[in-house]
Amino acid sequence: MTGNQQHQHGNGANPQSNGTNTSTYVIPLQINGEEVKTSTTYQVVNPATNEVAWESCSATKADAIKAADAAQAAFPAWSRTKVATRRGIFLKAADIMVRRAEELSDYIKAETAGAESFIAFNVFVSAEQLRDVGGRIATVVGHVPAYDMDDRSAMILKEPYGVVLSIAPWNAAYYLGFRAITYALAAGNTVVLKGSELSPRCHWAIGSVFKEAGLPDGVLNVLTHRPQDAAEVTTTLIEHPAVKKINFTGSTAVGRIIAATAGKNLKPVLMELGGKASAIVLKDADLELTAMECVQGAFMGSGQICMATERIIVHSSVASAFSQALKRATAKLFPQSGSASILITPVGVQKNKKLVSQALSQGASVVVGDVNAEESSNTRMRPIIVEKVTPEMDLFYQESFGPTVSLFTFEAEEDAIKLTNDTEYGLSAAVFTADLAAGFRVAKQIESGAVHINGMTIQDDLNIPHGGVKSSGFGRFNASAGIEEFLHLKTITWADGVADRSPSSIGKIGLM
């Protein structure tokens, strides 16, 4: 397939499903409606098999500039499109997602090796996201405020920023990839999507779906690149004069770099970063239900979710019974007879084993799992629950981003809250109790963007604003708040008639 050939998704030409040697397929960039091939490519490895799935083009600084220029050129027309036009494109894109579900599922399975249920979630909830956001476009309204000047009136408008740089992660490649762009596009912005080098075909598919849905050329441009080119390409995009806002979902470490670069260029950013989510278990909680929720919250997606439970803090009076409930829940949801969880790269396994091994050498103990277990590949690791973790251990503060969770006990409620807040992060938390009032009391004291009572820490609903506090980021995705993030306010005032400019009217015009 040459650089300017479109992938024939409509007639079933899916290289992964038709027997073609997928390792020879090269994923193109998407700039101004064209699929662009580059002289430099890199291999994309399937983490389940450690085999090359395909190759991807790698964007250069010149490609980044072209993409931003294309988005800027497309902005005036797109920002003026009618609500019905934008909504129609979004709804058509949702239908295309559903129709191409098998193809899209193949891509995400090959690139991220997620469980079948998580793959289905990515595809079908992304379609629902498109419908949800498309339906919200008409809800954007300005307002007419009270105005203290005689014979003058004012109006507050909401306008798109212009070009938005959206940087998406791999760990929910479709859902978070679409989230990075849909709210910005719905608000009338144009976008450069910088996809993950680990899931380039998934992020290519996002552009492909919108292209098929009729999105005009240049409104969405998709780039991926080799890891070693990240600094140059990202800096080029942030510093490009056309780029007016950035959104990033990923690690706190990288988020700091992006925020610093954006700050130097006085550009606003929306960030959803890392987490160290706690689940507090009060003494009246349903232990079996709570254990199931905590295990799912800790090990879903192999723990590679920013909202994943990293600390379970249980009242000492039920600690022994709850520990046994955790063992039963882990055995049921992640049985030893099944395959070990798959992480995206061997680095994640190495990091988690190092964190646990260090903690064990410093006095921690294992409740569930074996840090020395040998698996069929270096990207696989089974869940591990440890206890007696102290602040001197790296595991206490570091985000593991893997299938590892620490178990703590508490006596007084304030101690559980203090431990929950003893982290630089603040993305998600959970409280388990039979007393809703107690749950609210605790939740209000937790420093977190969201607290879920009697539910796991991994929750992200389209109708609820999502984001963090502290080092977990700022700003909100989802719901109407997600669209508002990509609109700025403009004030327009006007004279209703002949203005009074006599000396006695000076005090009425708001001068200080």
Side-chain angles (χ1 to χ4, degrees):
M1 182 179 295
T2 62
N4 59 3
Q5 287 178 312
Q6 297 297 315
H7 178 60
Q8 299 300 310
H9 43 256
N11 60 12
N14 175 3
Q16 186 168 359
S17 62
N18 66 6
T20 303
N21 182 0
T22 58
S23 64
T24 62
Y25 178 75
V26 180
I27 305 160
L29 311 179
Q30 294 167 309
I31 301 175
N32 201 28
E34 297 292 329
E35 296 201 332
V36 178
K37 290 294 183 70
T38 62
S39 59
T40 302
T41 63
Y42 65 93
Q43 294 181 334
V44 181
V45 176
N46 183 325
T49 64
N50 283 326
E51 296 178 351
V52 176
W54 35 68
E55 294 187 3
S56 176
C57 288
S58 181
T60 63
K61 178 177 180 179
D63 294 319
I65 293 171
K66 290 177 182 177
D69 287 345
Q72 175 65 13
F75 172 67
W78 178 248
S79 65
R80 293 192 299 267
T81 54
K82 302 297 184 183
V83 168
T85 301
R86 279 184 235 167
R87 181 174 59 235
I89 292 172
F90 273 59
L91 296 180
K92 187 174 181 180
D95 292 340
I96 292 167
M97 285 287 294
V98 174
R99 175 168 54 79
R100 294 174 60 181
E102 182 178 358
E103 170 203 346
L104 300 175
S105 296
D106 286 346
Y107 297 159
I108 195 170
K109 183 175 182 179
E111 292 187 331
T112 69
E116 293 297 332
S117 58
F118 192 64
I119 290 172
F121 163 86
N122 258 268
V123 174
F124 292 103
V125 176
S126 294
E128 285 304 307
Q129 180 192 135
L130 286 162
R131 296 188 181 103
D132 180 88
V133 178
R136 292 180 188 273
I137 296 174
T139 67
V140 175
V141 293
H143 66 280
V144 177
Y147 202 50
D148 283 342
M149 290 182 63
D150 291 339
D151 301 316
R152 290 194 69 83
S153 297
M155 178 184 297
I156 311 300
L157 304 180
K158 295 178 180 178
E159 296 186 338
Y161 280 88
V163 179
V164 172
L165 169 60
S166 300
I167 307 175
W170 58 267
N171 57 328
Y174 293 133
Y175 181 70
L176 297 182
F178 274 105
R179 190 184 74 174
I181 66 172
T182 50
Y183 297 98
L185 292 173
N189 302 277
T190 53
V191 174
V192 176
L193 171 62
K194 196 175 83 69
S196 170
E197 75 278 6
L198 297 174
S199 57
R201 197 159 192 181
C202 291
H203 290 150
W204 166 87
I206 290 174
S208 173
V209 165
F210 265 118
K211 175 75 172 178
E212 185 181 353
L215 191 70
D217 293 347
V219 174
L220 173 61
N221 306 272
V222 184
L223 305 177
T224 51
H225 53 69
R226 300 176 303 173
Q228 58 265 43
D229 297 326
E232 181 179 47
V233 172
T234 305
T235 300
T236 297
L237 288 167
I238 294 174
E239 293 182 343
H240 193 289
V243 172
K244 297 299 190 293
K245 183 162 185 173
I246 300 99
N247 77 82
F248 170 76
T249 300
S251 72
T252 296
V254 175
R256 292 184 196 278
I257 297 170
I258 291 171
T261 306
K264 290 177 183 178
N265 290 272
L266 293 178
K267 296 183 180 183
V269 292
L270 162 59
M271 294 196 157
E272 196 233 285
L273 307 175
K276 190 75 177 175
S278 290
I280 298 176
V281 184
L282 302 184
K283 59 185 177 181
D284 63 348
D286 181 325
L287 299 187
E288 295 298 328
L289 171 64
T290 299
M292 292 292 285
E293 291 288 315
C294 286
V295 168
Q296 290 185 81
F299 305 133
M300 179 186 293
S302 304
Q304 301 170 117
I305 300 173
C306 50
M307 298 171 284
T309 305
E310 298 248 347
R311 296 172 175 171
I312 303 173
I313 307 169
V314 58
H315 193 275
S316 59
S317 65
V318 295
S320 178
F322 185 69
S323 179
Q324 295 304 311
L326 278 178
K327 292 178 182 178
R328 290 190 292 273
T330 306
K332 181 177 181 178
L333 295 173
F334 301 92
Q336 285 291 319
S337 58
S339 299
S341 299
I342 303 172
L343 281 74
I344 190 70
T345 67
V347 174
V349 174
Q350 295 163 9
K351 175 185 178 180
N352 275 261
K353 288 194 171 187
K354 181 179 179 181
L355 287 171
V356 173
S357 295
Q358 183 205 52
L360 295 179
S361 71
Q362 293 178 289
S365 58
V366 172
V367 177
V368 171
D370 178 5
V371 71
N372 297 312
E374 294 288 336
E375 302 297 343
S376 59
S377 75
N378 59 3
T379 55
R380 293 179 182 269
M381 181 177 175
R382 295 182 188 275
I384 294 180
I385 303 174
V386 294
E387 61 183 357
K388 300 177 183 176
V389 175
T390 64
E392 294 73 31
M393 304 171 187
D394 289 344
L395 183 58
F396 187 89
Y397 286 114
Q398 282 192 29
E399 179 187 21
S400 69
F401 207 66
T404 302
V405 66
S406 303
L407 181 63
F408 301 85
T409 61
F410 71 93
E411 297 288 342
E413 190 176 282
E414 55 266 29
D415 294 330
I417 296 167
K418 182 179 179 180
L419 177 55
T420 296
N421 291 336
D422 188 12
T423 171
E424 68 172 305
Y425 301 105
L427 185 59
S428 185
V431 181
F432 292 91
T433 177
D435 183 350
L436 187 58
F440 273 107
R441 182 177 65 245
V442 173
K444 289 178 180 180
Q445 299 176 73
I446 294 175
E447 299 165 352
S448 178
V451 181
H452 307 288
I453 300 174
N454 294 328
M456 64 177 170
T457 57
I458 300 175
Q459 297 193 43
D460 184 2
D461 190 281
L462 293 171
N463 298 299
I464 298 174
H466 178 74
V469 297
K470 302 197 294 189
S471 293
S472 289
F474 34 78
R476 293 294 182 267
F477 289 104
N478 292 3
S480 295
I483 296 180
E484 297 289 338
E485 281 284 349
F486 297 98
L487 295 164
H488 65 81
L489 300 180
K490 174 186 284 186
T491 299
I492 298 177
T493 72
W494 66 91
D496 294 319
V498 179
D500 181 2
R501 289 293 177 259
S502 64
S504 62
S505 70
I506 297 299
K508 302 178 181 178
I509 63 174
L511 297 178
M512 297 181 64

mmCIF file of all heavy atoms in Angstrom, residues 14-46:
data_model
loop_
_atom_site.group_PDB
_atom_site.id
_atom_site.type_symbol
_atom_site.label_atom_id
_atom_site.label_comp_id
_atom_site.label_asym_id
_atom_site.label_seq_id
_atom_site.Cartn_x
_atom_site.Cartn_y
_atom_site.Cartn_z
ATOM 1 N N ASN A 14 -8.765 -6.242 5.443
ATOM 2 C CA ASN A 14 -8.107 -6.088 6.745
ATOM 3 C C ASN A 14 -6.867 -6.960 6.747
ATOM 4 O O ASN A 14 -6.956 -8.177 6.812
ATOM 5 C CB ASN A 14 -9.080 -6.516 7.853
ATOM 6 C CG ASN A 14 -8.426 -6.488 9.223
ATOM 7 O OD1 ASN A 14 -7.267 -6.100 9.359
ATOM 8 N ND2 ASN A 14 -9.183 -6.901 10.226
ATOM 9 N N PRO A 15 -5.670 -6.381 6.674
ATOM 10 C CA PRO A 15 -4.454 -7.167 6.568
ATOM 11 C C PRO A 15 -4.277 -8.186 7.669
ATOM 12 O O PRO A 15 -3.630 -9.198 7.472
ATOM 13 C CB PRO A 15 -3.347 -6.098 6.621
ATOM 14 C CG PRO A 15 -3.993 -4.870 6.089
ATOM 15 C CD PRO A 15 -5.403 -4.950 6.561
ATOM 16 N N GLN A 16 -4.842 -7.917 8.861
ATOM 17 C CA GLN A 16 -4.640 -8.889 9.924
ATOM 18 C C GLN A 16 -5.557 -10.097 9.784
ATOM 19 O O GLN A 16 -5.219 -11.188 10.205
ATOM 20 C CB GLN A 16 -4.866 -8.241 11.293
ATOM 21 C CG GLN A 16 -4.511 -9.224 12.414
ATOM 22 C CD GLN A 16 -4.446 -8.547 13.735
ATOM 23 O OE1 GLN A 16 -4.634 -7.353 13.837
ATOM 24 N NE2 GLN A 16 -4.170 -9.308 14.775
ATOM 25 N N SER A 17 -6.705 -9.889 9.183
ATOM 26 C CA SER A 17 -7.679 -10.974 9.160
ATOM 27 C C SER A 17 -7.742 -11.726 7.832
ATOM 28 O O SER A 17 -8.444 -12.701 7.725
ATOM 29 C CB SER A 17 -9.073 -10.399 9.488
ATOM 30 O OG SER A 17 -9.448 -9.459 8.510
ATOM 31 N N ASN A 18 -6.978 -11.273 6.835
ATOM 32 C CA ASN A 18 -7.107 -11.945 5.541
ATOM 33 C C ASN A 18 -5.877 -12.767 5.164
ATOM 34 O O ASN A 18 -5.698 -13.132 4.022
ATOM 35 C CB ASN A 18 -7.422 -10.920 4.446
ATOM 36 C CG ASN A 18 -6.263 -9.953 4.208
ATOM 37 O OD1 ASN A 18 -5.193 -10.112 4.784
ATOM 38 N ND2 ASN A 18 -6.504 -8.967 3.353
ATOM 39 N N GLY A 19 -4.988 -12.991 6.158
ATOM 40 C CA GLY A 19 -3.855 -13.842 5.887
ATOM 41 C C GLY A 19 -2.630 -13.124 5.383
ATOM 42 O O GLY A 19 -1.593 -13.736 5.170
ATOM 43 N N THR A 20 -2.707 -11.815 5.167
ATOM 44 C CA THR A 20 -1.550 -11.056 4.715
ATOM 45 C C THR A 20 -0.479 -11.043 5.793
ATOM 46 O O THR A 20 -0.772 -11.060 6.977
ATOM 47 C CB THR A 20 -1.969 -9.609 4.390
ATOM 48 O OG1 THR A 20 -2.999 -9.659 3.418
ATOM 49 C CG2 THR A 20 -0.806 -8.799 3.866
ATOM 50 N N ASN A 21 0.785 -10.990 5.384
ATOM 51 C CA ASN A 21 1.878 -10.887 6.343
ATOM 52 C C ASN A 21 1.844 -9.502 6.967
ATOM 53 O O ASN A 21 2.305 -8.526 6.390
ATOM 54 C CB ASN A 21 3.219 -11.122 5.624
ATOM 55 C CG ASN A 21 4.382 -11.066 6.596
ATOM 56 O OD1 ASN A 21 4.219 -10.860 7.797
ATOM 57 N ND2 ASN A 21 5.575 -11.279 6.062
ATOM 58 N N THR A 22 1.257 -9.406 8.170
ATOM 59 C CA THR A 22 1.030 -8.102 8.770
ATOM 60 C C THR A 22 2.326 -7.404 9.154
ATOM 61 O O THR A 22 2.357 -6.191 9.271
ATOM 62 C CB THR A 22 0.150 -8.233 10.024
ATOM 63 O OG1 THR A 22 0.789 -9.127 10.952
ATOM 64 C CG2 THR A 22 -1.216 -8.785 9.661
ATOM 65 N N SER A 23 3.403 -8.153 9.381
ATOM 66 C CA SER A 23 4.654 -7.519 9.806
ATOM 67 C C SER A 23 5.236 -6.626 8.716
ATOM 68 O O SER A 23 6.100 -5.799 8.989
ATOM 69 C CB SER A 23 5.683 -8.587 10.221
ATOM 70 O OG SER A 23 6.035 -9.384 9.104
ATOM 71 N N THR A 24 4.775 -6.799 7.463
ATOM 72 C CA THR A 24 5.287 -5.966 6.367
ATOM 73 C C THR A 24 4.420 -4.736 6.130
ATOM 74 O O THR A 24 4.754 -3.896 5.308
ATOM 75 C CB THR A 24 5.361 -6.782 5.063
ATOM 76 O OG1 THR A 24 4.041 -7.205 4.697
ATOM 77 C CG2 THR A 24 6.260 -7.997 5.235
ATOM 78 N N TYR A 25 3.283 -4.654 6.834
ATOM 79 C CA TYR A 25 2.408 -3.509 6.659
ATOM 80 C C TYR A 25 2.989 -2.310 7.404
ATOM 81 O O TYR A 25 3.456 -2.436 8.548
ATOM 82 C CB TYR A 25 1.010 -3.824 7.190
ATOM 83 C CG TYR A 25 0.053 -2.648 7.078
ATOM 84 C CD1 TYR A 25 -0.485 -2.291 5.854
ATOM 85 C CD2 TYR A 25 -0.283 -1.897 8.202
ATOM 86 C CE1 TYR A 25 -1.350 -1.210 5.742
ATOM 87 C CE2 TYR A 25 -1.135 -0.815 8.092
ATOM 88 C CZ TYR A 25 -1.659 -0.471 6.875
ATOM 89 O OH TYR A 25 -2.501 0.598 6.759
ATOM 90 N N VAL A 26 2.958 -1.131 6.785
ATOM 91 C CA VAL A 26 3.498 0.086 7.395
ATOM 92 C C VAL A 26 2.360 1.080 7.604
ATOM 93 O O VAL A 26 1.680 1.478 6.653
ATOM 94 C CB VAL A 26 4.603 0.716 6.517
ATOM 95 C CG1 VAL A 26 5.141 1.983 7.183
ATOM 96 C CG2 VAL A 26 5.726 -0.285 6.279
ATOM 97 N N ILE A 27 2.163 1.483 8.835
ATOM 98 C CA ILE A 27 1.088 2.407 9.182
ATOM 99 C C ILE A 27 1.501 3.822 8.789
ATOM 100 O O ILE A 27 2.546 4.313 9.219
ATOM 101 C CB ILE A 27 0.811 2.356 10.692
ATOM 102 C CG1 ILE A 27 0.515 0.922 11.129
ATOM 103 C CG2 ILE A 27 -0.346 3.282 11.064
ATOM 104 C CD1 ILE A 27 0.708 0.683 12.600
ATOM 105 N N PRO A 28 0.702 4.499 8.004
ATOM 106 C CA PRO A 28 1.056 5.854 7.573
ATOM 107 C C PRO A 28 0.656 6.924 8.585
ATOM 108 O O PRO A 28 -0.135 6.675 9.496
ATOM 109 C CB PRO A 28 0.258 6.018 6.277
ATOM 110 C CG PRO A 28 -0.985 5.217 6.543
ATOM 111 C CD PRO A 28 -0.550 4.027 7.365
ATOM 112 N N LEU A 29 1.196 8.106 8.410
ATOM 113 C CA LEU A 29 0.717 9.281 9.117
ATOM 114 C C LEU A 29 -0.522 9.789 8.377
ATOM 115 O O LEU A 29 -0.799 9.375 7.250
ATOM 116 C CB LEU A 29 1.782 10.378 9.138
ATOM 117 C CG LEU A 29 3.199 9.986 9.562
ATOM 118 C CD1 LEU A 29 4.123 11.201 9.495
ATOM 119 C CD2 LEU A 29 3.198 9.376 10.952
ATOM 120 N N GLN A 30 -1.260 10.706 8.972
ATOM 121 C CA GLN A 30 -2.415 11.314 8.318
ATOM 122 C C GLN A 30 -2.293 12.839 8.450
ATOM 123 O O GLN A 30 -2.409 13.384 9.554
ATOM 124 C CB GLN A 30 -3.715 10.821 8.960
ATOM 125 C CG GLN A 30 -3.954 9.332 8.730
ATOM 126 C CD GLN A 30 -5.050 8.775 9.612
ATOM 127 O OE1 GLN A 30 -5.043 8.966 10.811
ATOM 128 N NE2 GLN A 30 -6.000 8.079 9.022
ATOM 129 N N ILE A 31 -2.025 13.480 7.327
ATOM 130 C CA ILE A 31 -1.832 14.927 7.317
ATOM 131 C C ILE A 31 -2.673 15.533 6.206
ATOM 132 O O ILE A 31 -2.550 15.143 5.041
ATOM 133 C CB ILE A 31 -0.347 15.299 7.113
ATOM 134 C CG1 ILE A 31 0.525 14.696 8.232
ATOM 135 C CG2 ILE A 31 -0.168 16.811 7.066
ATOM 136 C CD1 ILE A 31 2.016 14.905 8.040
ATOM 137 N N ASN A 32 -3.546 16.443 6.583
ATOM 138 C CA ASN A 32 -4.403 17.158 5.626
ATOM 139 C C ASN A 32 -5.191 16.207 4.726
ATOM 140 O O ASN A 32 -5.324 16.417 3.519
ATOM 141 C CB ASN A 32 -3.557 18.118 4.773
ATOM 142 C CG ASN A 32 -4.405 19.208 4.148
ATOM 143 O OD1 ASN A 32 -5.448 19.584 4.686
ATOM 144 N ND2 ASN A 32 -3.963 19.723 3.011
ATOM 145 N N GLY A 33 -5.708 15.156 5.328
ATOM 146 C CA GLY A 33 -6.549 14.220 4.591
ATOM 147 C C GLY A 33 -5.809 13.186 3.779
ATOM 148 O O GLY A 33 -6.435 12.329 3.151
ATOM 149 N N GLU A 34 -4.481 13.239 3.757
ATOM 150 C CA GLU A 34 -3.677 12.285 2.988
ATOM 151 C C GLU A 34 -2.930 11.339 3.925
ATOM 152 O O GLU A 34 -2.521 11.723 5.026
ATOM 153 C CB GLU A 34 -2.664 13.032 2.117
ATOM 154 C CG GLU A 34 -3.280 13.923 1.058
ATOM 155 C CD GLU A 34 -3.989 13.117 -0.024
ATOM 156 O OE1 GLU A 34 -3.544 11.987 -0.305
ATOM 157 O OE2 GLU A 34 -4.989 13.618 -0.577
ATOM 158 N N GLU A 35 -2.761 10.100 3.471
ATOM 159 C CA GLU A 35 -1.929 9.160 4.205
ATOM 160 C C GLU A 35 -0.499 9.321 3.712
ATOM 161 O O GLU A 35 -0.224 9.192 2.510
ATOM 162 C CB GLU A 35 -2.446 7.737 4.017
ATOM 163 C CG GLU A 35 -3.838 7.561 4.614
ATOM 164 C CD GLU A 35 -4.175 6.111 4.896
ATOM 165 O OE1 GLU A 35 -3.630 5.234 4.205
ATOM 166 O OE2 GLU A 35 -4.979 5.861 5.820
ATOM 167 N N VAL A 36 0.388 9.616 4.633
ATOM 168 C CA VAL A 36 1.762 9.991 4.305
ATOM 169 C C VAL A 36 2.736 8.930 4.802
ATOM 170 O O VAL A 36 2.716 8.555 5.974
ATOM 171 C CB VAL A 36 2.108 11.359 4.933
ATOM 172 C CG1 VAL A 36 3.550 11.734 4.646
ATOM 173 C CG2 VAL A 36 1.148 12.436 4.430
ATOM 174 N N LYS A 37 3.593 8.455 3.906
ATOM 175 C CA LYS A 37 4.652 7.527 4.275
ATOM 176 C C LYS A 37 5.937 8.312 4.539
ATOM 177 O O LYS A 37 6.195 9.347 3.923
ATOM 178 C CB LYS A 37 4.879 6.497 3.166
ATOM 179 C CG LYS A 37 3.743 5.489 3.006
ATOM 180 C CD LYS A 37 3.620 4.590 4.233
ATOM 181 C CE LYS A 37 2.541 3.530 4.066
ATOM 182 N NZ LYS A 37 2.872 2.493 3.083
ATOM 183 N N THR A 38 6.740 7.811 5.449
ATOM 184 C CA THR A 38 8.013 8.447 5.788
ATOM 185 C C THR A 38 9.165 7.490 5.515
ATOM 186 O O THR A 38 8.982 6.270 5.461
ATOM 187 C CB THR A 38 8.046 8.859 7.266
ATOM 188 O OG1 THR A 38 7.932 7.675 8.095
ATOM 189 C CG2 THR A 38 6.909 9.816 7.596
ATOM 190 N N SER A 39 10.347 8.045 5.349
ATOM 191 C CA SER A 39 11.514 7.205 5.076
ATOM 192 C C SER A 39 11.939 6.417 6.311
ATOM 193 O O SER A 39 12.558 5.358 6.206
ATOM 194 C CB SER A 39 12.679 8.073 4.588
ATOM 195 O OG SER A 39 13.005 9.057 5.562
ATOM 196 N N THR A 40 11.589 6.935 7.498
ATOM 197 C CA THR A 40 11.947 6.260 8.747
ATOM 198 C C THR A 40 10.724 5.550 9.321
ATOM 199 O O THR A 40 9.647 6.137 9.422
ATOM 200 C CB THR A 40 12.464 7.275 9.780
ATOM 201 O OG1 THR A 40 13.584 7.960 9.242
ATOM 202 C CG2 THR A 40 12.876 6.581 11.070
ATOM 203 N N THR A 41 10.907 4.297 9.686
ATOM 204 C CA THR A 41 9.833 3.528 10.305
ATOM 205 C C THR A 41 10.375 2.817 11.547
ATOM 206 O O THR A 41 11.574 2.782 11.785
ATOM 207 C CB THR A 41 9.266 2.476 9.337
ATOM 208 O OG1 THR A 41 10.301 1.543 9.006
ATOM 209 C CG2 THR A 41 8.737 3.124 8.061
ATOM 210 N N TYR A 42 9.462 2.258 12.320
ATOM 211 C CA TYR A 42 9.876 1.465 13.482
ATOM 212 C C TYR A 42 8.914 0.290 13.640
ATOM 213 O O TYR A 42 7.792 0.320 13.133
ATOM 214 C CB TYR A 42 9.918 2.309 14.755
ATOM 215 C CG TYR A 42 8.569 2.834 15.203
ATOM 216 C CD1 TYR A 42 7.798 2.128 16.127
ATOM 217 C CD2 TYR A 42 8.062 4.032 14.694
ATOM 218 C CE1 TYR A 42 6.568 2.610 16.534
ATOM 219 C CE2 TYR A 42 6.826 4.512 15.097
ATOM 220 C CZ TYR A 42 6.086 3.795 16.021
ATOM 221 O OH TYR A 42 4.860 4.263 16.423
ATOM 222 N N GLN A 43 9.359 -0.736 14.318
ATOM 223 C CA GLN A 43 8.565 -1.941 14.488
ATOM 224 C C GLN A 43 7.619 -1.822 15.678
ATOM 225 O O GLN A 43 7.970 -1.254 16.718
ATOM 226 C CB GLN A 43 9.477 -3.153 14.679
ATOM 227 C CG GLN A 43 10.314 -3.490 13.447
ATOM 228 C CD GLN A 43 11.187 -4.719 13.657
ATOM 229 O OE1 GLN A 43 11.561 -5.048 14.781
ATOM 230 N NE2 GLN A 43 11.504 -5.411 12.565
ATOM 231 N N VAL A 44 6.426 -2.370 15.520
ATOM 232 C CA VAL A 44 5.436 -2.417 16.588
ATOM 233 C C VAL A 44 5.308 -3.879 17.009
ATOM 234 O O VAL A 44 4.966 -4.739 16.199
ATOM 235 C CB VAL A 44 4.075 -1.871 16.124
ATOM 236 C CG1 VAL A 44 3.066 -1.907 17.264
ATOM 237 C CG2 VAL A 44 4.232 -0.460 15.581
ATOM 238 N N VAL A 45 5.593 -4.142 18.276
ATOM 239 C CA VAL A 45 5.660 -5.516 18.771
ATOM 240 C C VAL A 45 4.387 -5.877 19.530
ATOM 241 O O VAL A 45 3.898 -5.109 20.365
ATOM 242 C CB VAL A 45 6.887 -5.697 19.694
ATOM 243 C CG1 VAL A 45 6.917 -7.109 20.290
ATOM 244 C CG2 VAL A 45 8.167 -5.418 18.913
ATOM 245 N N ASN A 46 3.850 -7.049 19.237
ATOM 246 C CA ASN A 46 2.702 -7.590 19.961
ATOM 247 C C ASN A 46 3.189 -8.078 21.326
ATOM 248 O O ASN A 46 3.999 -8.998 21.412
ATOM 249 C CB ASN A 46 2.106 -8.756 19.169
ATOM 250 C CG ASN A 46 0.866 -9.343 19.817
ATOM 251 O OD1 ASN A 46 0.748 -9.412 21.033
ATOM 252 N ND2 ASN A 46 -0.073 -9.801 18.991
#
